[in-house]
Amino acid sequence: MPTFISWNIDSINAAVEHKSPRGEMTWATLQHLAELAPDVLAIQETKLRPTGLTKKQAAALDELFPEYHRYLNFSTARTGYSGTMMLTKTEPLSVTMPEIGAPGEMDQEGRIITLEFPNAFVSTVYTPNSGRELARLEDRQAWDKAYTTYIDSLNAQKPVIFSGDFNVAHEEIDLKNPKTNHHSAGFTDEERADFTDLLKAGYIDTFRTLHPEATGVYTWWSQIAKQSKVNNAGWRIDYYLISNQLGDKLVSLDVIDTGARQDHAPIQLVLKDFSLN
């Protein structure tokens, strides 16, 4: 059964260098993902420069993920910002790093990679944050609409398996403190409605489909709030979504434990009776 893992790493360099306690935890998580050996690994927020991986970073990834095909999309708008990466055991038919007609510099921030296989597209996304005081909320809404149109264009050709940091907790059940966050980036009515519209277009939130009533399952805990992980004051903002026609293939979606490390945790999807080829 093919497995897929997605993770917002918050800096490949911090993981490879692992010079701080948090960097050590990030590196340990990356090592664990290598041991799990997913068919496809999607990484968001690589924070690489437009020149790509350093020799040290490339060597570290080569050692952890030998014989994987590796694809990177960098931010050319702001160096060391955003960025995505995908690693796959199976060489894809094609690789695209699309511009979707998003506002401002969003299309130049390396936010999407899509791999085409005979039986599916596999894509990852790092959705823009609406920012402090919701300064980018209008642009974020324009992104959401453009992104849904893009995914629909793929789905018109073959099923889509897409993951990433979507920067939205969809329902009140998806974060610890919904009542105090209705005007916070990632839980505005507008962002939640856009995510609803995405699902209604023909896609499945794999975790919530499998666990419709589950509470206290999150993928992100604030680094600023020192006790957020201890108190499990988290948000579920990282998702694996799949086309409706793959619904009968769904086996599991799990959040991978990262111990005391705050920020994002990886998520793992397992499908049955399905091959990328």
Side-chain angles (χ1 to χ4, degrees):
M1 292 186 289
T3 61
F4 306 81
I5 292 178
S6 181
W7 183 34
N8 179 321
I9 195 172
D10 189 30
S11 175
I12 285 178
N13 190 61
V16 171
E17 294 293 337
H18 51 276
K19 293 180 178 179
S20 66
R22 185 171 181 277
E24 290 176 356
M25 288 188 285
T26 304
W27 178 244
T29 300
L30 190 60
Q31 288 178 307
H32 180 51
L33 300 189
E35 292 169 357
L36 292 173
D39 291 275
V40 180
L41 172 61
I43 297 286
Q44 305 88 45
E45 205 170 0
T46 56
K47 293 185 176 178
L48 296 174
R49 297 178 180 180
T51 50
L53 296 165
T54 65
K55 290 183 179 180
K56 184 175 181 179
Q57 292 163 355
L61 291 172
D62 288 343
E63 184 173 352
L64 285 179
F65 301 97
E67 299 179 8
Y68 275 76
H69 303 275
R70 183 170 65 221
Y71 306 98
L72 299 111
N73 195 3
F74 315 107
S75 171
T76 56
R78 292 167 56 185
T79 187
Y81 175 75
S82 186
T84 46
M85 176 174 75
M86 295 188 80
L87 299 164
T88 172
K89 290 180 178 178
T90 303
E91 186 174 5
L93 298 175
S94 67
V95 180
T96 53
M97 299 171 190
E99 294 186 3
I100 61 173
E105 296 180 332
M106 290 177 174
D107 272 338
Q108 285 73 53
E109 292 171 347
R111 293 183 175 275
I112 303 173
I113 301 175
T114 299
L115 310 181
E116 180 185 5
F117 297 96
N119 291 328
F121 289 102
V122 182
S123 186
T124 196
V125 63
Y126 177 39
T127 302
N129 191 295
S130 293
R132 292 183 180 181
E133 300 182 356
L134 304 178
R136 288 214 299 181
L137 178 58
E138 187 174 337
D139 284 352
R140 161 63 188 270
Q141 287 187 271
W143 167 279
D144 286 343
K145 289 177 175 57
Y147 182 71
T148 298
T149 298
Y150 170 67
I151 292 296
D152 284 346
S153 73
L154 300 179
N155 195 43
Q157 302 171 61
K158 62 184 73 174
V160 190
I161 300 163
F162 55 118
S163 68
D165 174 0
F166 283 80
N167 262 316
V168 62
H170 186 210
E171 303 289 356
E172 291 194 351
I173 198 174
D174 293 317
L175 72 167
K176 179 70 173 288
N177 298 305
K179 292 182 180 179
T180 57
N181 280 294
H182 273 289
H183 300 288
S184 299
F187 198 60
T188 63
D189 291 343
E190 293 88 345
E191 291 163 314
R192 295 168 63 198
D194 285 347
F195 195 79
T196 296
D197 289 343
L198 173 60
L199 295 179
K200 285 183 176 178
Y203 311 101
I204 293 169
D205 173 354
T206 56
F207 175 81
R208 193 53 72 197
T209 296
L210 291 165
H211 310 284
E213 306 297 331
T215 59
V217 180
Y218 308 122
T219 65
W220 177 81
W221 300 262
S222 171
Q223 296 183 60
I224 297 173
K226 293 183 179 180
Q227 298 299 309
S228 66
K229 194 72 176 283
V230 173
N231 297 329
N232 197 28
W235 298 49
R236 190 174 73 93
I237 60 175
D238 302 87
Y239 300 82
Y240 257 107
L241 307 183
I242 59 176
S243 298
N244 284 347
Q245 58 264 48
L246 296 178
D248 62 346
K249 313 295 185 186
L250 181 56
V251 174
S252 63
L253 190 289
D254 297 302
V255 180
I256 295 172
D257 184 16
T258 57
R261 184 184 185 275
Q262 295 177 194
D263 205 54
H264 294 265
I267 55 175
Q268 179 173 258
L269 170 71
V270 179
L271 300 178
K272 66 180 179 181
D273 301 326
F274 178 78
S275 171
L276 290 172
N277 292 319

